Amino acid sequence: MSEATEKAGAELMVDLIITLDGYASGEGWPGWWGLEGPEYLAWLEEEGKKDFTTLMGANTYRVMAGLSQQAADDSAAFSEEEGASLGGLADMPKVIFSSTLQEPLAWPNCELIRGDAVEAVRGMKRTRTGTLSTLGSLSLSRSLLKAGLVDRFRLVIFPVITGRTGSERIYDGYPDVALELVNSRTFDGRAQLLEYIPTVLEDPPPARK
């Protein structure tokens, strides 16, 4: 039995936004590829009110902390929904895995962990409650999935292909993974949420007879 199926105090979810061709970002593209509609932003705001602890690496921390501070200092630069979403992230408990960042961290409600992220999350699943959810942090998400710690794998797929400008290929270095669909939703008639239970595979499954 994988650790993802064992009884745990907290559930771990890898949470990603991607293009149809599997990129996390694209050179020259705005955030959310310019396709963040009111339904999606309202859903992000509601998600921010749930009992989540957000997990991220240093690079994601720097980007998101900067955006959150920018939204607080200059609300005119963001829509009301964008500002609410970023403000919700500031209020959420966050765990940052980094050997380079120094305390105290400027973004509020952050806990800095310098040790091995996989072992730290393994312990957090036993001792904490609610949902542990990654934010960006592709290498962290990949490591947690490989370790069999992920209970939910959630994607929001934006309907663009960034074959020329895309960067940060999400699935490079992943193991083979079987996915059982447990939830789906479409936002604003374009972005699609897909939520799965993942099972890491040692070998491809046999052909069906």
Side-chain angles (χ1 to χ4, degrees):
M1 178 182 296
S2 73
E3 293 189 47
T5 59
E6 294 176 2
K7 182 176 178 58
E11 182 178 71
L12 173 61
M13 178 170 65
V14 162
D15 199 12
L16 298 167
I17 61 171
I18 68 171
T19 63
L20 184 62
D21 53 341
Y23 285 95
S25 61
E27 184 179 352
W29 289 80
W32 293 302
W33 296 275
L35 297 173
E36 70 282 14
E39 290 181 5
Y40 177 61
L41 292 172
W43 175 78
L44 283 180
E45 184 178 356
E46 288 303 310
E47 288 293 290
K49 298 174 183 177
K50 295 182 179 179
D51 183 17
F52 282 7
T53 298
T54 302
L55 313 179
M56 67 185 79
N59 290 338
T60 299
Y61 166 83
R62 293 184 182 99
V63 171
M64 297 309 299
L67 287 173
S68 183
Q69 186 60 52
Q70 185 181 352
D73 293 343
D74 182 13
S75 59
F78 298 87
S79 69
E80 181 178 350
E81 293 86 356
E82 288 171 330
S85 175
L86 291 167
L89 278 174
D91 295 336
M92 290 176 68
K94 297 171 285 293
V95 176
I96 317 301
F97 300 99
S98 174
S99 60
T100 58
L101 292 173
Q102 300 295 322
E103 295 181 300
L105 297 177
W107 208 9
N109 302 307
C110 286
E111 173 187 354
L112 180 62
I113 293 180
R114 298 189 179 280
D116 181 81
V118 169
E119 290 307 311
V121 173
R122 197 189 309 275
M124 291 165 65
K125 288 192 66 178
R126 291 194 300 265
T127 60
R128 304 198 184 195
T129 59
T131 299
L132 308 172
S133 177
T134 62
L135 176 65
S137 305
L138 302 186
S139 61
L140 173 64
S141 299
R142 182 171 57 245
S143 296
L144 295 174
L145 186 67
K146 283 183 174 180
L149 294 175
V150 178
D151 301 291
R152 290 287 188 273
F153 191 78
R154 188 170 74 177
L155 309 172
V156 176
I157 302 173
F158 284 81
V160 294
I161 293 172
T162 54
R164 180 175 60 84
T165 58
S167 59
E168 298 183 289
R169 287 177 57 88
I170 287 178
Y171 302 123
D172 286 356
Y174 265 52
D176 288 354
V177 183
L179 299 169
E180 176 189 351
L181 183 66
V182 293
N183 187 28
S184 64
R185 177 178 173 181
T186 300
F187 299 110
D188 307 294
R190 48 181 180 257
Q192 187 172 22
L193 178 148
L194 299 173
E195 185 173 345
Y196 300 96
I197 296 173
T199 301
V200 177
L201 302 175
E202 295 294 333
D203 299 294
R208 293 185 178 181
K209 296 181 179 180

